Amino acid sequence: MNVLLDNFPEFRDGFIGTVSITAVSSVIALVLGVLIAGFRVSPVPPLRIFGTAWVTLLRNTPLTLLFLVSFFVVPEIFFPGMSPFLLGSLALGFYTSSFVCEAVRSGINTVPLGQAEAARSIGMTFSQTLRIVVLPQATRTVIPPLSSIFIALTKNSAIAGAFSVTELFGWQKLMSDRGYAITPVFIWVALGYLVVTFAISGLFWTVERRMEVAR
């Protein structure tokens, strides 16, 4: 307990940092993932090409490489002075959006084609059909895989600690530099991640159960 009690302010900051970067990058990933999924099923060829390229590029690029690009290329070319937290959130969010996209697209494909055809027959546009008819029905199928994706995002956030972002894995490095035994440090870090992942799992489980009742 001493390693935690003696360094609780640093541990608290690391835990809050992990929760914060997980929350922000999750929002980015969800918004972009749904948007790119819409591109991938769009009747407009350039949008489908863009969506396919986005998913193919990001899913096949190592996350560490995306962090390197985000921290050492983006500030030099596009946004100088951007905070490490925001850069890390963007790298995580963009990377995870490709997985969210494929989960959402799979859910869209489970909706019978007749639903979209019926919507178009009464004059709905593609975006209206997707937003009002298809996505609400696809949500039930999408919830379980999204839970796994966001839990993986939480664990991937550990990479941000190597890029000056305050989070749990960065606290582990700080404690190691101070000479604490590595085993208790890793136990507390693991417990911190478990709290976050269990919270995400519980949230998605609650949403899934409520949607089952609604069905």
Side-chain angles (χ1 to χ4, degrees), residues 135-159:
L135 283 179
Q137 297 183 68
T139 302
R140 296 188 183 100
T141 308
V142 170
I143 292 298
L146 283 184
S147 175
S148 299
I149 289 170
F150 288 123
I151 287 174
L153 182 152
T154 303
K155 292 181 283 188
N156 287 337
S157 69
I159 298 177

Side-chain angles (χ1 to χ4, degrees), residues 121-205:
S121 70
I122 61 174
M124 283 189 177
T125 64
F126 170 76
S127 61
Q128 289 174 326
T129 300
L130 193 64
R131 186 179 71 254
I132 299 173
V133 178
V134 177
L135 283 179
Q137 297 183 68
T139 302
R140 296 188 183 100
T141 308
V142 170
I143 292 298
L146 283 184
S147 175
S148 299
I149 289 170
F150 288 123
I151 287 174
L153 182 152
T154 303
K155 292 181 283 188
N156 287 337
S157 69
I159 298 177
F163 293 87
S164 303
V165 179
T166 302
E167 51 80 54
L168 278 173
F169 203 73
W171 179 77
Q172 170 270 324
K173 184 177 183 302
L174 176 64
M175 294 302 99
S176 298
D177 292 343
R178 290 181 178 179
Y180 285 95
I182 197 67
T183 300
V185 171
F186 270 123
I187 289 174
W188 286 115
V189 168
L191 287 175
Y193 279 112
L194 281 175
V195 169
V196 179
T197 55
F198 280 166
I200 293 173
S201 180
L203 174 63
F204 277 92
W205 181 84

Side-chain angles (χ1 to χ4, degrees), residues 4 18 22 28 51 55 72 75-76 85 111 120 122 125 180 213:
L4 177 66
T18 292
T22 298
I28 295 172
V55 171
F72 298 109
E76 293 292 331
F85 175 83
V111 179
R120 285 196 295 269
I122 61 174
T125 64
Y180 285 95
V213 172

Side-chain angles (χ1 to χ4, degrees), residues 9-27:
E10 292 89 346
F11 179 85
R12 178 198 59 209
D13 293 343
F15 181 81
I16 293 174
T18 292
V19 172
S20 299
I21 195 171
T22 298
V24 173
S25 55
S26 294
V27 172

Side-chain angles (χ1 to χ4, degrees), residues 13-95:
D13 293 343
F15 181 81
I16 293 174
T18 292
V19 172
S20 299
I21 195 171
T22 298
V24 173
S25 55
S26 294
V27 172
I28 295 172
L30 187 60
V31 172
L32 283 177
V34 173
L35 180 63
I36 300 300
F39 286 178
R40 294 212 65 186
V41 298
S42 170
V44 182
L47 291 181
R48 289 202 305 272
I49 293 172
F50 178 83
T52 301
W54 179 281
V55 171
T56 301
L57 178 63
L58 290 176
R59 289 189 72 180
N60 293 284
T61 301
L63 181 55
T64 304
L65 179 58
L66 288 179
F67 268 91
L68 289 171
V69 171
S70 178
F71 276 80
F72 298 109
V73 176
V74 172
E76 293 292 331
I77 300 177
F78 301 105
F79 305 107
M82 187 177 291
S83 69
F85 175 83
L86 186 54
L87 290 171
S89 298
L90 288 174
L92 263 179
F94 277 47
Y95 177 77

